[in-house]
Amino acid sequence: MFSKSLTYLLAMASLTYAMPTPELEQRAVQYKLYTGDGTNWPAQTAWASFDTMWANNQAILSSSCAQFGQANNSPTEIAEILSAIKSVSSSTGVDTRFILAITMQESGGCVRAPTSYGGVLNPGLMQDHNGIHNCNSNQQAQNPCPAAQITGMITDGTAGTASGDGLKQCLAQSGVTGARASYIAARIYNTGSYAAGADLGKPKYGTSCYASDIANRLLGWAGAATPCNLPNPS
């Protein structure tokens, strides 16, 4: 359990990020659809800073659990997501911005997101591959969600699990470097595979808009619902 003083400090840290400066707010962008193999997609130099992405997503982080019929994230839980992303990024070498983008795409950053099923169980903040950490198992939600579970969810999605890959492995499988590696890794994370040179918006299965959504999130877009209307595979 957190002491009252530590809980207060974490809450204050979250509130600091919840009040972006005008400079950070200016980096919010309109959604742009990207198709193709990622070759001419935005370079990393065009990505928003992590602080800007974090600030732009505060409204969603504070309200996204309602869509699942669960209590919304508390300031302390939001601060713990931030801490987990930074810690796991440091230990895995995966960019904090990519971790945040996938987290927002998969669950809206809701610590009590339910487990989905796509051939395997996909639990938690990052809807990872059969991970053991979550705060909503068998419709039994934990409130508050313990810090260890939050860190575990981010770890499972980024470093991988005993039975499936995380972002680190997907980046390695992309076969390329730079920003394009993240776009291809996003496709792999969503569908489990990628054929070199294929259109990232035309997967054999999965969510067609996934990679384009991630590219936009990395640029600073922070919409709750994507305006992308690419048809999903039937």
Side-chain angles (χ1 to χ4, degrees), residues 129-130 156 159-166 169:
H129 192 113
N130 203 28
D156 288 346
T161 67
S163 57
D165 295 333
Q169 293 78 22

Side-chain angles (χ1 to χ4, degrees), residues 34 36-47 98 171 174 176 178-189 194 200 210-216 218-219:
Y34 294 99
D37 67 357
T39 301
N40 296 313
W41 292 28
Q44 278 183 300
T45 53
W47 291 4
F98 191 38
L171 285 163
S174 73
V176 297
R180 188 172 173 230
S182 294
Y183 306 139
I184 293 175
R187 169 49 57 214
I188 296 172
Y189 191 81
Y194 173 71
L200 293 169
Y210 197 93
S212 179
D213 286 353
I214 293 301
N216 278 275
L218 290 167
L219 293 172

Side-chain angles (χ1 to χ4, degrees), residues 6 11 72 80 86 97 128 154 156 160 169 184 197 203 209 212 225:
L6 180 54
N72 283 320
E80 287 164 352
K86 290 186 173 182
R97 296 170 293 183
D128 57 74
I154 297 297
D156 288 346
Q169 293 78 22
I184 293 175
C209 293
S212 179

Side-chain angles (χ1 to χ4, degrees), residues 49-50 52-55 57 61 81 85 95-105 126 167 214 217:
S49 70
F50 177 80
T52 295
M53 287 179 62
W54 182 255
N57 279 287
L61 283 163
I81 294 172
I85 289 174
D95 195 308
T96 53
R97 296 170 293 183
F98 191 38
I99 299 173
L100 177 58
I102 295 292
T103 298
M104 299 309 298
Q105 181 75 11
M126 299 179 72
L167 299 183
I214 293 301
R217 292 187 187 282

Side-chain angles (χ1 to χ4, degrees), residues 43-191:
Q44 278 183 300
T45 53
W47 291 4
S49 70
F50 177 80
D51 286 347
T52 295
M53 287 179 62
W54 182 255
N56 288 350
N57 279 287
Q58 285 304 301
I60 297 174
L61 283 163
S62 299
S63 61
S64 59
C65 290
Q67 66 182 307
F68 305 121
Q70 298 296 331
N72 283 320
N73 294 337
S74 69
T76 298
E77 289 169 330
I78 293 173
E80 287 164 352
I81 294 172
L82 173 63
S83 177
I85 289 174
K86 290 186 173 182
S87 174
V88 174
S89 172
S90 178
S91 64
T92 61
V94 177
D95 195 308
T96 53
R97 296 170 293 183
F98 191 38
I99 299 173
L100 177 58
I102 295 292
T103 298
M104 299 309 298
Q105 181 75 11
E106 291 288 346
S107 67
C110 173
V111 297
R112 280 170 285 279
T115 298
S116 60
Y117 184 80
V120 297
L121 295 177
N122 304 121
L125 281 163
M126 299 179 72
Q127 299 288 283
D128 57 74
H129 192 113
N130 203 28
I132 62 174
H133 299 96
N134 71 81
C135 276
N136 189 349
S137 179
N138 297 318
Q139 299 183 336
Q140 297 295 316
Q142 295 185 63
N143 187 9
C145 181
Q149 290 296 324
I150 292 174
T151 299
M153 287 186 274
I154 297 297
T155 300
D156 288 346
T158 305
T161 67
S163 57
D165 295 333
L167 299 183
K168 182 175 182 178
Q169 293 78 22
C170 293
L171 285 163
Q173 292 166 26
S174 73
V176 297
T177 59
R180 188 172 173 230
S182 294
Y183 306 139
I184 293 175
R187 169 49 57 214
I188 296 172
Y189 191 81
N190 177 240
T191 61

